[in-house]
């Protein structure tokens, strides 16, 4: 008999992709994905532990789902992802109605785990890099592809090395076979996933892997996340030379103060960072750069904070993800003194976001009148007369529906720019070569 599964997914792209893998694995075990928890025989929470807020969101949703167990005695509840790995058996204490807890390394064993007894917890899986998953992908155009798992960096604020384990790279042969298969099935774009793709090591390094992927011929190749310390000149050359690698780099800075960067154990200074993006911008004209910032790290003074604001004004990111520092148990920053108060952190965050908004708008406005390449994804959300797609720099572009199909790549002349999107019309004019 077929059974139904519903997954709540929290957090990063890694989790989004892990949920696709879970559905793929479970469909081999007789499960069908459904759109609401009420129809499910199995509910999985694929959780995120990066900040306390994400964790709280999951625990309150878990509490709300408890009543479904009274209605359906056969309902199973599983907790997966980073909170599972972090809290381990503690989840059963807090929520005894949970049946299974499994960490991010054990997705492949899901069907076997579900056949076993209650209150099972599994964590490490040394064979993870060799595991192959059947994956039920959300999109038929753009695909996530894992190239490595885990993280060895131990940034002092970050829980990821504890929840996702030691860095391991997938064999290049598996990565390449997966991308060849996607290309053959008509996928237009792949995003290579890893906490720190620049430290990919198999029989080749990351730039080497990019070159091999480039040769497959898929239209667009993206990757995330990069660590500024490990971003090599060889990688910049690969991006510059390979036509399918998109002109976008997500390069988290975290702070503009060298003192805080040192306390964060990031392994670079602000001027190292500047040097890296100067080279990137020189070698890859028009490249979009996005970043991450944490405000309110323990002991961050007003002067440190001002250095971060100066940095974002100088760098001029195309987009920025900024977060308030959140204290995570088990990390080395957990025990640092001089924690900032919530209102202080909120004020710093809001002020920074306001400054960045102007920068994002200004950067986008530079594209007005240019011609860019857009991959059509489908109908625009709010208006069925328009299509929505993405530029190579990962910006959302809206254009009138002229009958283009999803997956088509067209040139668009930009006629209007906003903070979160660009608008334009299809054109036969050539792509504008950026001189910036
Ligand atoms: N508090 C706030 N932000 C964090 N990040 C990671 N750990 C924390 C934390 N404890 C942010 C970093 C990272 C992004 C994915 O999340 O900016 O780059
Ligand atoms: Fe966390 Fe640092 Fe690893 Fe990123 S590189 S996952 S911030 S420890």
């Amino acid at each position: 008999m077929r059974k139904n599964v519903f997954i709540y997914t929290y957090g990063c792209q890694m989790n989004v992709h892990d949920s696709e893998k879970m559905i793929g694995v479970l469909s081999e075990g007789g499960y069908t994905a459904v759109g609401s928890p009420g129809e499910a025989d199995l509910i999985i929470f694929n959780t995120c532990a990066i900040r306390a807020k994400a964790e709280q969101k999951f625990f309150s949703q878990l509490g709300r789902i408890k009543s479904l167990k009274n209605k359906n005695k056969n309902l199973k509840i599983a907790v997966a992802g980073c909170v599972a790995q972090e809290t381990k058996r503690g989840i059963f204490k807090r929520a005894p109605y949970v049946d299974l807890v499994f960490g991010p390394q054990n997705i492949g064993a899901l069907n076997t785990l579900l056949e076993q007894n209650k209150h099972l917890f599994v964590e490490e899986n040394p064979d993870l890099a060799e595991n192959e998953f059947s994956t039920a992908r959300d999109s038929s155009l753009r695909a996530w592809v894992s190239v490595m798992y885990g993280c060895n960096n131990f940034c002092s604020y970050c829980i990821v090395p504890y929840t996702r384990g030691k860095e391991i790279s997938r064999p290049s042969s598996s990565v390449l076979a997966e991308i060849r298969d996607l290309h053959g099935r008509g996928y237009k774009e792949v995003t290579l996933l890893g906490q720190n793709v620049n430290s990919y090591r198999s029989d080749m390094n990351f730039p080497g892997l990019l070159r091999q992927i480039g040769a497959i011929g898929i239209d667009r190749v993206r990757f995330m996340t990069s660590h500024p310390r490990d971003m090599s000149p060889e990688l910049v050359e690969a991006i510059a030379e390979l036509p399918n690698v998109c002109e976008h780099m997500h390069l988290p800075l975290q702070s503009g103060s060298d003192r805080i960067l040192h306390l964060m154990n990031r392994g670079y200074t602000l001027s190292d960072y500047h040097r890296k993006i100067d080279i990137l911008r020189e070698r890859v004209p028009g490249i979009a750069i996005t970043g991450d910032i944490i405000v309110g790290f323990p002991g961050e003074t007003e002067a440190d904070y001002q250095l971060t604001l100066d940095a974002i004004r100088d760098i001029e990111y195309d987009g920025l993800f900024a977060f308030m520092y959140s204290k995570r148990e088990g990390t080395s920053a957990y025990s640092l003194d001089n924690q900032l108060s919530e209102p202080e952190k909120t004020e710093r965050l809001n002020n920074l976001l306001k400054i960045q908004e102007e920068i994002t708008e200004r950067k986008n406005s530079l594209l007005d009148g240019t011609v860019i390449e857009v991959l059509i994804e489908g109908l625009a959300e709010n208006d069925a007369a328009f299509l929505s797609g993405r530029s190579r720099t990962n910006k959302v572009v809206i254009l009138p529906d002229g009958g283009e199909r999803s997956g088509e790549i067209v040139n668009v002349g930009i006629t209007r720019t906003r903070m979160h999107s660009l608008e334009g019309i299809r054109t036969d004019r050539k792509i504008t070569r950026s001189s910036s």
Side-chain angles (χ1 to χ4, degrees):
M1 204 188 73
R2 285 202 77 82
K3 287 173 282 184
N4 293 336
V5 54
F6 179 82
I7 305 189
Y8 286 101
T9 305
Y10 302 86
C12 66
Q13 283 81 5
M14 224 78 65
N15 265 15
V16 171
H17 186 38
D18 280 353
S19 291
E20 293 183 331
K21 291 178 188 169
M22 288 180 207
I23 302 278
V25 168
L26 285 167
S27 67
E28 291 177 343
Y31 281 90
T32 307
V34 289
S36 78
E39 306 165 66
D41 306 289
L42 167 65
I43 297 174
I44 301 179
F45 290 86
N46 191 9
T47 60
C48 170
I50 197 123
R51 284 169 289 274
K53 238 194 209 140
E55 201 169 318
Q56 282 151 11
K57 224 163 90 189
F58 147 63
F59 275 113
S60 57
Q61 190 60 32
L62 180 65
R64 279 198 288 273
I65 229 69
K66 185 181 171 190
S67 63
L68 289 179
K69 269 222 153 168
N70 305 330
K71 290 188 202 135
N72 176 1
K73 290 275 172 286
N74 294 322
L75 174 66
K76 281 194 175 185
I77 297 181
V79 178
C82 289
V83 180
Q85 191 66 37
E86 178 202 11
T87 316
K88 305 185 169 54
R89 293 187 172 280
I91 299 219
F92 299 128
K93 275 206 205 108
R94 202 159 158 177
Y97 51 95
V98 169
D99 298 280
L100 171 68
V101 175
F102 63 102
Q105 302 189 0
N106 287 283
I107 295 168
L110 196 44
N111 289 313
T112 331
L113 294 174
L114 283 166
E115 283 163 17
Q116 295 173 28
N117 288 330
K118 282 190 72 137
H119 286 192
L120 189 70
F121 167 69
V122 287
E123 46 184 339
E124 256 130 64
N125 171 13
D127 302 326
L128 178 65
E130 312 290 332
N131 288 170
E132 297 286 334
F133 302 97
S134 42
T135 304
R137 298 184 187 272
D138 292 340
S139 157
S140 50
L141 293 179
R142 308 164 70 210
W144 310 110
V145 175
S146 304
V147 298
M148 57 186 305
Y149 304 104
C151 183
N152 287 351
N153 284 315
F154 293 94
C155 300
S156 63
Y157 50 81
C158 186
I159 200 162
V160 168
Y162 307 93
T163 60
R164 295 221 166 228
K166 277 208 267 324
E167 238 168 62
I168 18 175
S169 298
R170 271 181 83 194
S172 60
S173 53
S174 317
V175 174
L176 295 169
E178 184 172 341
I179 296 173
R180 266 185 221 111
D181 174 62
L182 289 165
H183 182 44
R185 285 159 50 205
Y187 277 83
K188 302 290 178 199
E189 179 177 310
V190 288
T191 302
L192 313 176
L193 292 179
Q195 299 297 342
N196 181 11
V197 292
N198 304 139
S199 57
Y200 178 85
R201 283 281 172 294
S202 61
D203 51 337
M204 56 187 81
N205 62 9
F206 189 62
L209 184 71
L210 276 182
R211 287 182 193 280
Q212 299 274 326
I213 293 170
I216 294 174
I218 202 152
D219 292 279
R220 290 182 170 190
V221 179
R222 304 183 184 281
F223 54 86
M224 64 191 320
T225 289
S226 300
H227 193 300
R229 185 198 54 216
D230 302 326
M231 205 195 69
S232 62
E234 194 188 348
L235 176 66
V236 179
E237 286 316 302
I239 303 170
E241 285 167 29
L242 295 167
N244 8 35
V245 174
C246 288
E247 294 76 24
H248 172 217
M249 171 72 82
H250 183 65
L251 201 63
L253 171 64
Q254 313 299 8
S255 169
S257 154
D258 287 346
R259 193 180 73 83
I260 297 290
L261 285 173
H262 181 69
L263 289 172
M264 287 176 162
N265 192 27
R266 289 290 286 175
Y268 56 83
T269 61
L270 177 64
S271 64
D272 295 336
Y273 186 95
H274 271 298
R275 216 167 303 127
K276 302 241 173 176
I277 57 170
D278 285 349
I279 298 172
L280 256 178
R281 284 180 163 151
E282 194 186 306
R283 291 290 297 129
V284 190
I287 190 168
I289 298 178
T290 54
D292 293 343
I293 293 283
I294 298 176
V295 297
F297 185 82
E300 182 188 78
T301 61
E302 181 60 29
D304 292 318
Y305 173 64
Q306 289 299 331
L307 288 171
T308 298
L309 296 184
D310 290 346
I312 68 165
R313 287 191 193 103
D314 288 348
I315 294 164
E316 299 196 293
Y317 287 107
D318 290 82
L320 187 63
F321 301 89
F323 311 99
M324 285 191 268
Y325 170 74
S326 169
K327 193 171 162 177
R328 308 313 288 139
E329 209 172 334
T331 61
S332 66
Y334 185 78
S335 49
L336 290 179
D337 295 334
N338 304 321
Q339 299 278 339
L340 276 80
S341 71
E342 289 300 305
E344 276 173 306
K345 288 193 277 189
T346 309
E347 200 199 318
R348 286 187 184 181
L349 178 69
N350 290 342
N351 180 34
L352 180 143
L353 289 174
K354 228 171 54 219
I355 293 171
Q356 179 59 39
E357 271 177 21
E358 274 173 33
I359 298 171
T360 306
E361 260 185 45
R362 194 166 65 235
K363 285 235 96 168
N364 282 350
S365 72
L366 296 175
L367 295 170
D368 202 353
T370 65
V371 177
I372 60 174
E373 181 203 285
V374 175
L375 168 63
I376 306 288
E377 288 173 10
L379 291 179
E381 242 167 50
N382 300 325
D383 192 338
F386 287 82
L387 297 173
S388 170
R390 261 171 211 270
S391 69
R392 291 175 60 90
T393 52
N394 212 28
K395 299 188 192 231
V396 173
V397 183
I398 309 290
L399 63 154
D401 186 351
E404 293 82 0
R405 281 165 292 110
S406 301
E408 223 177 298
I409 293 178
V410 296
N411 288 0
V412 174
I414 300 302
T415 51
R416 182 171 178 180
T417 65
R418 300 169 189 261
M419 189 162 69
H420 297 295
S421 64
L422 313 173
E423 283 176 28
I425 38 175
R426 188 172 174 177
T427 175
D428 293 328
R429 275 154 59 212
K430 286 215 172 60
I431 304 285
T432 310
R433 286 276 153 242
S434 169
S435 54
S436 67

